[in-house]
Amino acid sequence: MDRRRTIRVKNRMKAIITDLDRTLLHTDKTVSEYTYAILKECHKSGIVLMAATARPERSILTYHDRIGFDAITTLNGARIILPNSIIENGIMPSSADNILKKVIMIPDLVLSAETGNGLFSNVPIPGLDTTVISEFLALPTESIIYKLLLSSKTNNIKQEIKKALTEDTYMTAAAGTLIQIMSISSTKWNGIKAMLKAVGIKQNDAIYFGDDYDDIEPIEKCGAGIAVSNAIGEVLDAADFITESNDMDGVAKYIEKNLL
């Protein structure tokens, strides 16, 4: 559906950039054989394929092995994997420590730190390889801290977390409940700009697919911004077009119809 303006994409878009969860991936975290086949045709057509995700690199390798992304923005831009280099935008250790001191006493807090040495948390997280630190009084210092993740089953902690932020950090609320704290340099859009620069493609020659708050900026700033129909309202409002849902292979269907 045309949301704001007519955009001719067939012969113009040189790069496809997509979010993963709730966008390219089905709700059960799978990718259909149809979608894999369409993305393979993109490679054959000379279209650059990139991903921009909140996930860490280790959790997207299965998809990357089959799709072969040309560049990947992971951890909301905290780690950007380019064809010939890697850019890291971690939280300053002093800022992370200041935040920790202010939030650690929040009742029922689930706190995790995504680092260069893996995921550390104050509780076990099902399905994830997590190093548990029961008394999370200090953050790991051996490697870069990409992001802090905070949630609570019994308390609305957004305002308390917001007060704990430092000048060089910001927060988002994934799925409305999981709060992510990152460096202000760590955004999907900064990652996308770096990826496009690395392959010599202008932002107006790139198309972006997404569903959540951190997808709004790339949807608005790329040459065309596409929302899957299951996206949040703000993304639907920002998008140039709306395609079918993630579970209906909306990304692949749009690509096949409009880009191949």
Side-chain angles (χ1 to χ4, degrees):
M1 290 182 285
D2 186 345
R3 298 295 292 178
R4 295 187 302 180
R5 53 198 169 101
T6 300
I7 299 176
R8 299 185 65 180
V9 298
K10 182 79 173 182
N11 298 313
R12 195 182 100 192
M13 296 304 165
K14 300 177 181 178
I16 294 169
I17 310 166
T18 183
D19 173 47
L20 296 181
D21 291 285
R22 299 185 72 249
T23 300
L24 186 72
L25 308 186
H26 289 180
T27 302
D28 64 4
K29 309 304 181 184
T30 62
V31 176
S32 71
E33 290 301 319
Y34 164 69
T35 291
Y36 279 129
I38 291 299
L39 296 180
K40 184 177 181 180
E41 289 302 313
C42 291
H43 279 304
K44 290 181 180 179
S45 299
I47 300 174
V48 172
L49 292 179
M50 302 175 175
T53 178
R55 288 175 174 238
E57 182 179 0
R58 64 180 179 274
S59 74
I60 64 174
L61 294 179
T62 300
Y63 312 113
H64 182 38
D65 286 345
R66 290 203 60 183
I67 296 170
F69 292 113
D70 296 285
I72 308 170
T73 289
T74 67
L75 297 164
N76 297 93
R79 181 175 168 87
I80 307 160
I81 304 165
L82 305 175
N84 297 306
S85 63
I86 293 174
I87 299 173
E88 294 187 315
N89 297 310
I91 301 173
M92 290 288 292
S94 58
S95 296
D97 285 338
N98 285 334
I99 293 170
L100 177 64
K101 291 174 183 177
K102 294 178 181 178
V103 304
I104 194 62
M105 300 307 294
I106 294 176
D108 196 32
L109 179 72
V110 177
L111 171 65
S112 302
E114 187 69 62
T115 77
N117 286 335
L119 185 65
F120 294 79
S121 181
N122 63 344
V123 297
I125 300 178
L128 296 180
D129 184 10
T130 309
T131 299
V132 177
I133 305 176
S134 56
E135 294 187 9
F136 218 140
L137 302 179
L139 291 165
T141 58
E142 296 82 8
S143 64
I144 189 170
I145 298 172
Y146 293 119
K147 67 163 71 173
L148 301 176
L149 302 104
L150 308 96
S151 64
S152 172
K153 292 183 178 180
T154 60
N155 296 284
N156 186 339
I157 60 175
K158 288 183 181 179
Q159 290 305 314
E160 289 181 82
I161 301 302
K162 188 175 182 180
K163 293 177 183 178
L165 295 177
T166 55
E167 291 184 356
D168 58 344
T169 59
Y170 77 104
M171 60 178 269
T172 64
T177 56
L178 178 62
I179 295 175
Q180 304 176 89
I181 298 177
M182 293 153 289
S183 162
I184 57 174
S185 298
S186 175
T187 68
K188 278 192 177 182
W189 180 239
N190 282 344
I192 289 166
K193 288 191 294 183
M195 293 193 299
L196 291 173
K197 181 179 179 180
V199 297
I201 294 177
K202 297 178 180 179
Q203 66 188 62
N204 284 339
D205 295 327
I207 188 168
Y208 186 85
F209 295 87
D211 75 286
D212 212 338
Y213 288 108
D214 56 6
D215 298 312
I216 294 174
E217 188 173 17
I219 277 179
E220 292 179 335
K221 292 183 176 180
C222 282
I226 316 300
V228 283
S229 63
N230 55 286
I232 62 172
E234 291 88 340
V235 172
L236 296 174
D237 289 340
D240 298 303
F241 301 94
I242 299 173
T243 187
E244 292 187 48
S245 73
N246 62 322
D247 287 326
M248 295 298 292
D249 297 318
V251 172
K253 288 179 179 177
Y254 184 93
I255 291 171
E256 182 179 33
K257 180 180 179 181
N258 297 282
L259 300 178
L260 296 177

